Structures are given as structure tokens and as C-alpha cells.
Amino acid sequence: MQTVAFWILLLLFVGAFAAQVARRVQLVAAAPNTFSLDRLGFRTSRFLLDVVLQRRTIRERPLAGLMHAFVFWGFVAFAGYTLVEFLYGLGLVDLTHARWFHAYRIALTPFATLVLLGIVYLLIRRVFVRPPGLGPKLSLESVVIGLFIATLMITFLLTFQLVEGTLAAHINWWVHALVILVFMALIPSSKHLHLVLSPITVFLKSPELGNLANLDFEKEQVGLETVKDLGSKSVLDAFTCVECGRCQVNCPAWGAGKELNPKTIILQTQDALLAGERERKLGEVYSEKVLWQCTTCGACENQCPVGIEHLPILIGSRRGLVSNGDAPDYLGAMYNNLERRSNIWGLGYDQRTKFVQSAALETFDPAKHDVLVWLGCAGSFDADFQKSLRALFGILLARKVKFGVLSKERCTGDPAKRTGNEYMYQELAKANIADLEAAGPKKILTSCPHCVKTIGDDYKKFGYQVEIVHSSVYIEELTRDLVRGAKADPLQSAKASAERSNGHETVTFHDPCYLGRYAGKVDEPRALLTRFGATITEPERNRDNPFCCGAGGGLLFADKEEEPGSRISDVRFKQLQATGANTVVTACPFCSIMLKGAQASAQADTQFVDLMTFVKDRL
Ligand code: SF4
Ligand code: SF4
């Protein structure tokens, strides 16, 4: 009788589970295929760290992350127990009296205790602490699931107390089994589907932050216009969101009070897919205004513990808007400059030539030069940033590095690519690649982190491979021998050297998103600063999770960021000011422009120094 009842219930609940999963599988299968399995070694090690060891979950929020990890590890450990109990309940085979199973049950008791501890902590946090990322409304579903998990652990622990064959033991067994069945039926329609999907999405997540495949114009690809254009990875991502809000609280746009919330973008995608709104325009699903508020800083994608990629959705939707002529006016002017003059400022190339001549720069020749210096739009035309480049040239000359520049450069195409003007980006990229291939450098050096990303990652998609390094990384290596005992551990020695030196200067360093987060270069700028006598005081949000300056994603060109909220650059400037340091060191031309603008608005007397100028002045 018990067996028959269990068979019926199992079929009912498994049926409910399968029907809901099938609907989601169908939606993923119907989407254009964007799954990729390149760099399998990297993906496997990331899987082990982020899924098995829960690195990302624990690193960002150590206590809550550890409690979540206890629950996850408990789930994995209990899989075999559940299977054996279900086989017994179905009358198929009784392994519950095997000696190994007895040992296994005993081994599970510490897991059960830790899961119980973890789930009670997470329930208290959700119901009483209510962190902002979880949203203003208490999720009843999360509370129910939390209570289910607690019940499973309590009923398991009770099996050691209750005598087998008694009514109490029977009731306990049924409560445990029923909770599992109901839980299973609830999973697909809840955020707990991440239990099943997140190992897959983490494995499938691109190894490259902000990875955007080139559009193929011959196949008439124009970007994402409607819900049905979303790629298969984006569709899978939409069903995996655990609604933790990490992307939200780390988003500079949300932090500055804008309407953009990356968590909402993912949940809106999920709703539109489940509602079958295949033909609905993405500009309506998310609102066009919101799509233009993204700086492409990558914080959302980088912080997400379940491998969700926001940028293919955000920039993909921008591509769709641009192809329909729906870009904001301020971008129209920038595109015009790129089209007519191949640089974002729309200035004549004679100005770059004048700079190249006044700095006595040679045209790159692979037989003569070690490295090609890429000036970038800022270096070619912005008088302020040219001072930084002159400092870089001074350091290179002092260290006897032979370098040259291209006789002509165009913008790498970064602002066009991140704002969705793929056609313009590809025109610029192909022309630059032709020039670079003709020049033949083995190594490129630049002071612009955006150029590092575009030439280093995006140009690879056209088959062009070159080593490109940011000046902070190159000069850090080049000046290591200036530190006594540097050979043992250059970064540590730099710190020790600075501590020995007198006349410390306290500075704060603003990590550019495209250097700290995208390229992961956070130690080298700091090593340079300490090596040349600075004491660093860190701002809120630093290293590989900086708060954006507000320039990326074309927002450098916006007259003023869309209301409501504050300017992102003002928020960042206040964070830098709060360190108490009177000097802010920057390492990106666009961060420098934005933060100086914020300083002017705040009428503060903070000094801004570019990293290369800082080093050159103290060399
Ligand atoms: S890339 Fe940055 S600005 Fe854009 S949604 Fe993500 S966190 Fe927000
Ligand atoms: S997208 Fe990722 S980080 Fe954002 S709420 Fe969902 S799971 Fe959390």
C-alpha cells in the first residue's frame, strides 16, 4: 500500500517537474545557438573553484557565502541518501540495512548540522536583515523553500532517535519524502532552478568578460531586436538567476540612482520568455532609456555567482536599436566623428602629426624597435593626456627601450562596439588590423585600458593576435631593478622600499574598470606607486571590483547622464575623496576626464595625477 502510494505521488510530482523543465528546454532550443566550449581547461578549473568550492559565492560575502556553501555541499552529500530511500519507497530494492549505508548515514550527520545552521542563518538574513540586493519585498517562496530544507535536515537527524517500524518513524519518513517531492515540483518555476542550471551556466560562461561575438553582416545579422533574437546562453541565463542582487548592488548605474538594474534585466527577460512574447521588441521589454544607461563596466557579469552574462543582452539590444536608427543624439555626433575623421573627437589628423613630431617619435620599424606604442584617440588628440604620454616616452628613453608609433592610427572602435554600432566598429577594426599587420609589431604598449581590451580581445575575433600591455604593467616590469632586492619578490620589495623611504605621499588609486576588472591588473599600478614613494589609501570599491567613473559604453559623450539620480562620476569622486588622500592617481584617459569633471563640479581641491606622470617625476 505504502509502495503504491509512493509510486503515484512520485509520478505526479516528477511529471509536474518534467513538464515545467520541458517548457524551458524548448525555449533554450528554439534560441539561436550561442553556446561555446572553447578553453576547456580554463572552464574546468573555474567550474571546480566556483561550483564545487563555491569560491565566488564565499569571496564576495564571506559569512553568507559560507552558509550558502554549507547548504550546497549538503545537497550534494545527500544525493545518494535520497536515491536509496526512494528505491526503498518504490519497493525496488532495500539498501537501507546495508552496512555501508549505515556508515554513510553517520557521515551525513555533520553535513545535516551545517545545512541546518546555514539555512537558519540565511532565513534570518532574508526575513529580518533584508539586504538591499534581495529587493524590498520579502519572497515567500524563499521562506517556504528554506523551511523545507530545514525540515529535511530535522527529519534526517530524527531517524537516529526513532525506532524503526514505529508509527513515529513512518510519519517521519513520509514527511521527509513528501517535502522532497513538493520541493522538486516547485524548483522549475522558482529561482531554485539555479540548483540544477548554475553548474551548466558557470561552465558555459565565456572565459572573456564582456565577450561579444562579431555580427556577420553577410548573414544579415543586425543585433537583438526582439525576444526571439536572444541567444541560447542568454535564455538559459534568464532561468538560472537566483535573484541574489549581487549584480544590482555592484552596478554603478543603480548605485547612482539610475533606472538600470541588471537583475531586473535578467528577470524581465525570464518573464518575456515564459509569457511567449517572442515578437516583442527588447527596447520595450527593458525600456530604451535603461539600455543606454549601462557603462559596460562588467561588474554585473563579474559578480554573478551563477555565470550569468548581462553584456551580450545589453549591448546586443543596443546593436538592434542602432541598426534601426534609434541611438541617442549624443552618439550620433560621436559616430559622425568616427566616420569622417576616424577619431572620437572629430579632429584633423594634422594634430596627431604635430604631437608625433613635437615628441620626436619615430615610425615603428620591427627591425629597429622593441615595442609599438599605440597612442589611442586620447593620446593622439587630448592635450592633457599627451602629457601622460610624454612622461611614458621619458621613462622608456631613460630605460633605453626602443619604440615607435604608427604613422597613422584610427580609433580602435571601442566606443562604437560598446554602444552597438557594430558596422562602424568592424570598419575601424579591419583598417587598423591591416595597418598593424603591415607594421608587424610583436608587442604593443598603450596607456588606454579600453585599447588593451579592444586590440587584445576583440581583434582576435578577426584572427589578429598580438601581445598588448598597459603602460602600468610594462613600466612596473621595466623599473623593477630600481628596487634593492627586487629579484626575490618585486611587488613585496617595492612595498618594503617605499616603507623605508622618507617623505611618504598619501595617494588613492582609482582602478579603471577595463584595467582592474577586465584585464585583472591590480598589483602593478600599486607596485609602481609604492616603489616611487607613495602610501596608498584604498577607496571603497577597488582592485578588480572598482566603481566605474561613468565614461564607458559611450557615456563619456552624453551631455549629462539621464535623470534620475546622480552622475556616476560624482558618486565615484566622493568615494575617492572619502579616503582622505589629497591626490588621486588615474591610469586611463577617460577616467581622468570624468573624475576631473566631478572634481570641478564639487569645487574640491583634490589633485589628479596620471600614473605615468607620477613615476616619471620621481624616476
Ligand atoms: S555593465 Fe556595469 S553599468 Fe552595465 S549593467 Fe552591468 S554593472 Fe551596470
Ligand atoms: S543575475 Fe546573477 S548576480 Fe544578478 S541577481 Fe541574478 S544570480 Fe544574482
Side-chain angles (χ1 to χ4, degrees):
M1 183 65 189
Q2 173 175 326
T3 306
V4 175
F6 193 63
W7 266 105
I8 293 170
L9 287 170
L10 185 85
L11 289 174
L12 270 176
F13 286 108
V14 169
F17 173 84
Q20 296 177 81
V21 169
R23 168 97 181 99
R24 285 153 182 82
V25 170
Q26 216 175 26
L27 287 164
V28 175
N33 183 15
T34 51
F35 293 139
S36 168
L37 286 176
D38 59 332
R39 295 177 61 190
L40 274 174
F42 174 85
R43 288 174 191 271
T44 308
S45 67
R46 186 180 57 190
F47 180 87
L48 292 174
L49 289 169
D50 287 347
V51 177
V52 179
L53 298 180
Q54 297 275 292
R55 172 188 62 172
R56 194 168 291 265
T57 313
I58 297 172
R59 191 179 61 189
E60 304 309 334
R61 294 173 186 165
L63 186 56
L66 190 65
M67 296 298 152
H68 180 276
F70 286 160
V71 178
F72 170 75
W73 292 326
F75 256 82
V76 176
F78 268 88
Y81 175 83
T82 306
L83 181 68
V84 168
E85 290 292 348
F86 271 40
L87 288 173
Y88 162 75
L90 293 168
L92 296 176
V93 54
D94 183 3
L95 300 171
T96 58
H97 294 97
R99 281 179 66 182
W100 66 265
F101 187 68
H102 182 64
Y104 175 37
R105 281 179 65 225
I106 291 173
L108 283 177
T109 50
F111 281 99
T113 314
L114 291 176
V115 172
L116 209 47
L117 175 74
I119 206 68
V120 169
Y121 173 88
L122 294 173
L123 274 171
I124 292 173
R125 183 171 177 267
R126 181 167 288 273
V127 178
F128 301 107
V129 182
R130 312 279 292 273
L134 296 178
K137 221 174 110 205
L138 178 64
S139 159
L140 198 62
E141 170 205 299
S142 300
V143 176
V144 170
I145 298 278
L147 293 174
F148 274 10
I149 294 170
T151 309
L152 287 176
M153 295 305 109
I154 292 167
T155 48
F156 167 75
L157 291 171
L158 279 175
T159 59
F160 292 93
Q161 306 298 324
L162 301 171
V163 179
E164 199 183 340
T166 61
L167 179 65
H170 268 300
I171 293 173
N172 191 54
W173 189 92
W174 271 102
V175 171
H176 189 93
L178 279 173
V179 167
I180 291 177
L181 290 174
V182 177
F183 189 20
M184 191 162 61
L186 284 180
I187 280 179
S189 58
S190 75
K191 62 185 185 163
H192 293 85
L193 189 55
H194 82 277
L195 287 168
V196 183
L197 296 182
S198 63
I200 305 171
T201 45
V202 169
F203 195 78
L204 290 174
K205 180 180 181 176
S206 168
E208 180 195 326
L209 180 62
N211 184 16
L212 296 162
N214 288 341
L215 288 184
D216 186 341
F217 297 114
E218 286 186 4
K219 290 185 183 155
E220 298 185 356
Q221 291 178 342
V222 293
L224 310 178
E225 291 178 292
T226 61
V227 173
K228 72 172 183 316
D229 298 331
L230 290 162
S232 51
K233 173 65 168 53
S234 299
V235 175
L236 190 65
D237 282 351
F239 299 130
T240 312
C241 180
V242 62
E243 299 175 34
C244 65
R246 281 175 169 83
C247 55
Q248 171 185 321
V249 297
N250 284 287
C251 174
W254 187 81
K258 313 280 175 218
E259 289 157 26
L260 170 62
N261 179 343
K263 171 176 159 180
T264 308
I265 294 283
I266 300 301
L267 297 179
Q268 285 169 330
T269 309
Q270 188 186 111
D271 289 346
L273 284 162
L274 289 174
E277 298 172 332
R278 286 175 56 77
E279 299 298 334
R280 191 163 169 216
K281 287 197 180 311
L282 291 171
E284 278 173 27
V285 174
Y286 311 124
S287 117
E288 287 185 23
K289 189 175 167 194
V290 156
L291 287 171
W292 295 112
Q293 288 174 354
C294 173
T295 69
T296 72
C297 73
C300 45
E301 213 167 280
N302 204 38
Q303 292 293 315
C304 180
V306 295
I308 289 173
E309 294 169 88
H310 304 71
L311 287 167
I313 299 179
L314 291 162
I315 300 180
S317 304
R318 286 179 172 184
R319 285 171 167 176
L321 292 175
V322 170
S323 68
N324 284 305
D326 289 332
D329 292 344
Y330 64 83
L331 287 181
M334 188 264 286
Y335 294 155
N336 228 341
N337 292 338
L338 285 175
E339 197 172 342
R340 287 189 306 113
R341 307 274 183 143
S342 304
N343 67 78
I344 52 176
W345 319 110
L347 296 169
Y349 263 88
D350 52 321
Q351 299 207 27
R352 180 184 185 269
T353 310
K354 271 187 211 153
F355 172 59
V356 168
Q357 285 169 351
S358 70
L361 302 177
E362 295 179 7
T363 300
F364 180 78
D365 176 352
K368 200 167 145 197
H369 298 120
D370 308 318
V371 64
L372 183 150
V373 178
W374 179 270
L375 303 181
C377 287
S380 300
F381 300 104
D382 180 57
D384 210 18
F385 200 65
Q386 285 175 354
K387 287 184 203 149
S388 160
L389 282 185
R390 284 180 195 275
L392 171 65
F393 302 148
I395 303 167
L396 293 174
L397 290 170
R399 304 300 293 165
K400 304 211 179 334
V401 176
K402 298 192 190 86
F403 64 94
V405 296
L406 288 182
S407 53
K408 187 170 181 212
E409 261 180 29
R410 293 160 203 82
C411 171
T412 57
D414 163 80
K417 186 163 187 79
R418 317 285 162 220
T419 55
N421 194 333
E422 182 69 8
Y423 184 80
M424 187 165 284
Y425 158 70
Q426 291 200 14
E427 293 277 293
L428 291 162
K430 284 176 187 166
N432 279 327
I433 290 170
D435 287 351
L436 286 167
E437 279 175 340
K442 295 233 165 13
K443 187 179 253 190
I444 299 178
L445 168 62
T446 181
S447 275
C448 175
H450 293 260
C451 296
V452 172
K453 164 76 180 162
T454 310
I455 296 176
D457 282 346
D458 299 329
Y459 284 11
K460 267 192 203 147
K461 297 181 178 92
F462 291 106
Y464 179 68
Q465 303 245 19
V466 70
E467 184 187 355
I468 179 160
V469 280
H470 186 256
S471 51
S472 60
V473 179
Y474 191 89
I475 299 302
E476 189 279 317
E477 201 182 332
L478 195 67
T479 56
R480 277 182 196 177
D481 63 345
L482 296 179
V483 183
R484 260 178 296 148
K487 277 185 187 131
D489 182 346
L491 299 188
Q492 283 307 316
S493 301
K495 192 159 179 264
S497 165
E499 279 163 4
R500 281 195 301 273
S501 74
N502 294 321
H504 273 205
E505 184 178 348
T506 301
V507 304
T508 189
F509 179 66
H510 165 74
D511 293 272
C513 294
Y514 277 72
L515 186 66
R517 184 176 292 114
Y518 276 82
K521 300 298 179 190
V522 296
D523 290 327
E524 291 83 350
R526 287 170 173 80
L528 275 176
L529 288 169
T530 50
R531 184 173 301 161
F532 291 97
T535 299
I536 304 169
T537 168
E538 294 286 356
E540 173 188 340
R541 298 284 300 272
N542 53 39
R543 299 179 69 84
D544 63 354
N545 190 25
F547 194 91
C548 184
C549 70
L555 289 167
L556 174 72
F557 309 98
D559 294 337
K560 72 181 183 67
E561 291 162 15
E562 291 289 328
E563 297 296 336
S566 327
R567 290 176 68 102
I568 293 172
S569 52
D570 290 343
V571 177
R572 182 53 169 168
F573 181 66
K574 280 190 192 127
Q575 292 173 353
L576 295 166
Q577 251 190 329
T579 62
N582 205 35
T583 302
V584 175
V585 180
T586 55
C588 166
F590 303 115
C591 294
S592 176
I593 293 170
M594 296 304 284
L595 294 172
K596 281 179 186 168
Q599 178 218 30
S601 312
Q603 297 183 331
D605 59 0
T606 310
Q607 308 285 319
F608 279 91
V609 183
D610 169 82
L611 183 60
M612 289 302 113
T613 311
F614 183 93
V615 172
K616 172 69 173 52
D617 288 351
R618 289 155 184 81
L619 195 67

